[in-house]
Amino acid sequence: MRAAFSDALVALAQRDPKVLLLTGDHGYALFDPFIKACPDQYMNCGIAEQNMVGVAAGLAKAGFRPFVYGLSAFVPIRVLEQIKIDICYENLPVTLVGDGAGVVYAQLGTSHQSTEDIAALRAVPGINIYSPADRFELTSCMNRAYDEGLPAYLRMGKADLGDVHSGLADAGSADDLVSVGGNKARYLFLGTGSGVKLAERVAQITGGADVVSCPRLKPFPEASLHELAKGREGIVTFEEHAIDGGLGSIVAERLLGSYNGKFLRIGIQDRFSTQCGDYRFLMESHGLAPEAVAGRIAKAFNAGA
């Protein structure tokens, strides 16, 4: 996914010399192709993320199209005030890219993990939020953010869990909900980011579920959601983010009063990571192993059946 991000950014920068890449001393080899192709459009702002967002805002006011890259624990979390005032209040065409979202920086602890970024940004007016599931959705989201020319946040997990689509055309529009598998099964599994891959694996275990990806979280394609929810016995949301304020909250808020089936949110509970290990170990410690999740769904949906 990170390579696809680099490729998409290089393509945009070659097409538009106003496209700039700002990084807070991150990226390293990831941006070698960009630096080679567009050396005058690259700025390393150093480990000063709050200042970097201010610089991006100034450049946007001067007619440039900045892409601001950082770890999602820092962009957007460390720079939330600057995003709110410098970018969103001014409605500037700045795209923020948060890499390593969720708990993928497992060994680095809570300071480098980001499970609250969607929740924090949702309440800020005027910013669009994207959370692609694979390289094809990422390319679609990047192009959409550029075309719209509005404040945007692109959430990117560093762990490459594999594609969920066969190509860019299969990924559909970044503005809508995208079917990954199934057609009007009993249950609807909605995932975003790495949560789509988890939803796929759980669907293989449980059976009887359609899997749908949600690459755009704000504004959310509400009409498509209501259409997909019709006739479902149960709906489950999957995300590598806190269950409060993320995809689960978004879906619940929009279905309130119109959906009477069972509903379950799968994600990070209200706690920090308390153990150290690799990515798979940490996901398991948060109860997000596919087998554990399948067991929770079976228990929740069969209760009282």
Side-chain angles (χ1 to χ4, degrees):
M1 186 183 289
R2 299 173 85 232
F5 163 68
S6 177
D7 292 342
L9 190 58
V10 169
L12 287 173
Q14 289 178 325
R15 191 172 84 205
D16 181 359
K18 295 289 188 181
V19 168
L20 304 177
L21 169 62
L22 282 66
T23 176
D25 206 27
H26 290 115
Y28 309 114
L30 172 64
F31 295 129
D32 285 349
F34 187 95
I35 296 169
K36 182 178 180 180
C38 311
D40 295 333
Q41 293 165 253
Y42 173 80
M43 298 178 65
N44 187 343
C45 295
I47 305 175
E49 290 88 353
Q50 291 164 323
N51 181 64
M52 177 170 62
V53 173
V55 169
L59 289 167
K61 277 182 168 288
F64 291 95
R65 298 295 304 275
F67 282 74
V68 178
Y69 173 91
L71 303 189
S72 59
F74 311 138
V75 177
I77 297 303
R78 179 175 290 174
V79 296
L80 188 59
E81 179 186 359
Q82 285 70 34
I83 293 172
K84 172 185 173 181
I85 301 300
D86 295 352
I87 295 175
C88 294
Y89 185 72
E90 299 286 342
N91 196 35
L92 297 175
V94 177
T95 299
L96 305 145
V97 181
D99 196 359
V103 298
V104 72
Y105 285 110
Q107 295 94 334
L108 299 182
T110 294
S111 65
H112 282 62
Q113 296 164 16
S114 182
T115 60
E116 62 288 306
D117 49 325
I118 296 170
L121 279 183
R122 277 185 64 207
V124 178
I127 189 166
N128 295 332
I129 302 175
Y130 298 92
S131 176
D134 67 5
R135 55 184 170 145
F136 302 114
E137 285 191 1
L138 184 142
T139 301
S140 180
C141 290
M142 286 274 291
N143 291 333
R144 185 59 176 157
Y146 171 82
D147 290 341
E148 285 187 321
L150 298 170
Y153 171 57
L154 180 73
R155 185 180 206 255
M156 187 165 61
K158 185 179 178 183
D160 191 352
L161 302 179
D163 295 330
V164 299
H165 302 292
S166 60
L168 191 58
D170 186 44
S173 169
D175 293 333
D176 210 350
L177 305 179
V178 186
S179 176
V180 175
N183 183 25
K184 283 297 180 181
R186 295 171 60 195
Y187 303 121
L188 174 64
F189 287 0
L190 295 165
T192 192
S194 65
V196 179
K197 204 66 178 178
L198 176 59
E200 279 191 314
R201 291 170 179 168
V202 174
Q204 291 171 356
I205 297 171
T206 61
D210 295 341
V211 179
V212 171
S213 177
C214 307
R216 182 165 185 159
L217 300 180
K218 183 184 176 183
F220 195 78
E222 188 166 342
S224 296
L225 173 64
H226 285 288
E227 187 62 31
L228 284 167
K230 290 179 181 177
R232 306 288 184 169
E233 295 180 29
I235 296 176
V236 186
T237 59
F238 296 78
E239 59 194 312
E240 195 178 325
H241 182 277
I243 60 169
D244 295 320
L247 175 64
S249 293
I250 294 170
V251 172
E253 290 161 10
R254 278 145 186 81
L255 292 180
L256 184 65
S258 65
Y259 176 71
N260 297 318
K262 297 177 180 179
F263 183 76
L264 182 64
R265 297 175 297 169
I266 301 297
I268 307 293
Q269 300 298 314
D270 188 25
R271 67 180 182 87
F272 293 114
S273 298
T274 57
Q275 295 177 291
C276 186
D278 62 16
Y279 175 68
R280 180 176 177 178
F281 173 82
L282 208 62
M283 289 289 282
E284 290 175 353
S285 76
H286 281 285
L288 297 178
E291 296 77 11
V293 172
R296 284 186 59 196
I297 293 172
K299 183 177 180 180
F301 284 3
N302 291 332

